[in-house]
Structure formats: structure tokens, C-alpha cells
Amino acid sequence: NAGVTQTPKFQVLKTGQSMTLQCAQDMNHEYMSWYRQDPGMGLRLIHYSVGAGITDQGEVPNGYNVSRSTTEDFPLRLLSAAPSQTSVYFCASRNSGLGETQYFGPGTRLLVL
Amino acid sequence: KNEVEQSPQNLTAQEGEFITINCSYSVGISALHWLQQHPGGGIVSLFMLSSGKKKHGRLIATINIQEKHSSLHITASHPRDSAVYICAGVRNYQLIWGAGTKLIIKP
């Protein structure tokens, strides 16, 4: 299994540009989440999905869209990038049980100029 | 007040020392994850606890439900244990993240 994969690993955007961060998992996990991690801060939940076709907002959803058309994929779209979205983005997945291990992707470092 | 609080924020110790990282959490959190983030950025899940104690190698995690407190211990610490250790509380199937403890083990 490849686990949770994310692309790209690193991206530089100009303010106002849009882009999609890709996330895929091959473990047939129901739950997938997107987090951002800023220096000196813990991970903050952006959006999450409890299954294909179902998404919901997390703690910091503004400026981001998600969709979950398949179990495997959970892309995160930045609609109009802003410098405040400079961060490291992590995708994670797990099964739906309370005690299930959460698996993380390697992260995407995004710099918005 | 944060719902999940970790202490200390930073910890530097000598190789071989016994390490304790603490995590306190608020009402409504039903379980706790401990995770490790390596200097390269990757995040690995270490434990999930809803009661009692778990051990894996040199790592031990405990949780006291009544006191809403969990600890992560590292025995015989080694420089390769240097990382950020994060506790995250489970509430309604979402994770509430602590800010992390940066651990440096010096040879």
C-alpha cells in the first residue's frame, strides 16, 4: 500500500492564483481530512469527509473548497490564494471507528507571494 | 483556555534520560491520540488511548479519564527520539490538537 499520498510536495503561488492540492489513499478509509500547520501552532482542521459524497467544514474552512467523489481521493482547492494561506498542508485518513489510527500524508508546503 | 494543552512546550534532555510529556484536555473528549512529527515534517501516529496504559518499545502512554490527563513517557531516550510530540483529543470523531512539545535529546 502507498498509504496517503499528496501532491505536489512544494508549490509557490502568486496572490489570487488558484490551485488544487491532491490527496489520495489506498486503504479504503472512510474518513479523510485536510489540516494546515503554521509555525509554532498545532494542526488546524480545514475540511473533512466521512465518506464519498459527504464533506463538512472544520475549524478554518474559509478560502478552501473540497469534494469527495471517490473513496480514494480528497482534493483541496484554493480558490484565490492569499499570503495568509502560506502553510504546510497535511491530508490524513482513517477508518470510522473511534480507536482507529490516523494516517498522514507527507505534507505540501505552500508559499503564497 | 485551549481544549487540549500540552506541557512542556520545549524539552531538552541528555541521552538516556526518562522523558515525560503531559497533556490535559477538556470535557467532551473521549480519547486521546499521541503522534510524533519528525524534523522532516512527517507525522506518525504512536498511540490511541481511551483508558489505561499502552506500551510500544520504549514509549509508554497513560491516560487518567477522571483527571482528564494523559502522559507520554520515553525510557532510555536517544537522539533519534528528537521530534515534536503532539497529543490530540477525539471529540465527535474529530481531533482537537495540542500545540505540540518539541523534544531534543542530546548525545
Side-chain angles (χ1 to χ4, degrees):
Chain A
N1 287 352
V4 181
T5 58
Q6 287 184 240
T7 57
K9 285 188 169 57
F10 182 70
Q11 182 73 45
V12 179
L13 291 178
K14 293 181 180 178
T15 296
Q17 286 185 314
S18 63
M19 79 159 294
T20 299
L21 279 63
Q22 301 291 345
C23 174
Q25 51 91 10
D26 60 0
M27 298 172 280
N28 203 34
H29 286 168
E30 294 170 297
Y31 279 58
M32 296 187 75
S33 308
W34 275 104
Y35 297 92
R36 61 178 288 175
Q37 185 178 37
D38 300 308
M41 295 183 68
L43 280 78
R44 291 186 292 170
L45 181 65
I46 305 171
H47 285 284
Y48 66 98
S49 169
V50 299
I54 306 169
T55 64
D56 206 347
Q57 295 181 349
E59 182 186 355
V60 288
N62 292 341
Y64 307 94
N65 272 357
V66 292
S67 60
R68 185 95 180 269
S69 55
T70 66
T71 299
E72 293 79 19
D73 300 299
F74 191 43
L76 178 73
R77 281 181 285 277
L78 278 71
L79 308 172
S80 177
S84 60
Q85 293 178 305
T86 293
S87 190
V88 180
Y89 292 84
F90 288 97
C91 179
S93 77
R94 64 180 177 90
N95 275 322
S96 59
L98 184 64
E100 294 293 330
T101 298
Q102 181 130 293
Y103 295 86
F104 287 85
T108 294
R109 293 183 178 274
L110 178 67
L111 174 63
V112 183
L113 301 174
Chain B
K1 186 180 186 299
N2 293 334
E3 295 184 84
V4 176
E5 291 194 337
Q6 283 186 242
S7 63
Q9 195 172 0
N10 294 284
L11 179 58
T12 300
Q14 292 297 130
E15 183 174 357
E17 286 189 36
F18 181 81
I19 304 298
T20 296
I21 299 170
N22 295 301
C23 181
S24 297
Y25 57 92
S26 61
V27 173
I29 287 174
S30 56
L32 209 72
H33 286 261
W34 281 101
L35 306 103
Q36 179 192 54
Q37 186 169 26
H38 296 287
I43 300 175
V44 175
S45 181
L46 299 174
F47 297 105
M48 199 293 296
L49 291 162
S50 56
S51 65
K53 175 180 174 178
K54 287 188 177 178
K55 184 176 190 291
H56 182 71
R58 295 180 294 106
L59 299 176
I60 304 165
T62 63
I63 191 167
N64 184 316
I65 302 297
Q66 286 73 30
E67 294 184 6
K68 298 184 181 52
H69 181 269
S70 177
S71 293
L72 177 69
H73 306 285
I74 305 174
T75 62
S77 60
H78 190 276
R80 65 174 175 266
D81 297 326
S82 298
V84 175
Y85 291 84
I86 308 167
C87 68
V90 180
R91 187 180 65 198
N92 298 330
Y93 294 97
Q94 293 307 308
L95 292 180
I96 313 297
W97 296 82
T101 295
K102 185 174 181 180
L103 174 66
I104 298 173
I105 304 296
K106 294 185 174 180

